[in-house]
Amino acid sequence: EVQLVESGGGSVQAGGSLKLSCAASGFTFDDHAIGWYRHAPGKEREGVSCIAISGGKTYYADSVKGRFTISRDNAKNTVVLQMNSLKPEDTAVYYCNTWPGVRFTWGQGTQVTVSS
């Protein structure tokens, strides 16, 4: 059974920080690039960031570049998204999944709410 469990969200003021974690199981984690996606009300789901299998290459959407940092620990089957200088427009439910193709059922996500 594949599981993708996101955690670490919460409510913060603009300029604050959060660290999101993705705990994966049920598949060969280190055979996949993993990404973070977010879905805000009234908007399409968008890719935020991804990290290659080795962790040596990363991608960031322009909207978060310079503020977010993605990392992975293949020994622990986890991917972390460190989010700094948060803005209200970052408010969304954040999910992790394979990248670039979404292969697995979405987890419950973790809510990030940023107030001005």
Side-chain angles (χ1 to χ4, degrees), residues 53-91:
I53 293 168
S54 68
K57 295 181 180 180
T58 57
Y59 160 83
Y60 299 94
D62 288 343
S63 59
V64 308
K65 192 172 297 182
R67 300 187 297 118
F68 292 8
T69 303
I70 191 169
S71 61
R72 69 188 292 164
D73 186 340
N74 288 341
K76 297 181 179 179
N77 284 11
T78 60
V79 176
V80 168
L81 186 68
Q82 177 67 51
M83 308 188 299
N84 299 322
S85 302
L86 284 162
K87 303 176 180 179
E89 52 262 43
D90 295 320
T91 296

Side-chain angles (χ1 to χ4, degrees), residues 7-9 17-21 36 80-84 86 110:
S7 63
S17 297
L18 287 170
K19 181 183 287 185
L20 308 185
S21 294
W36 283 95
V80 168
L81 186 68
Q82 177 67 51
M83 308 188 299
N84 299 322
L86 284 162
T110 186

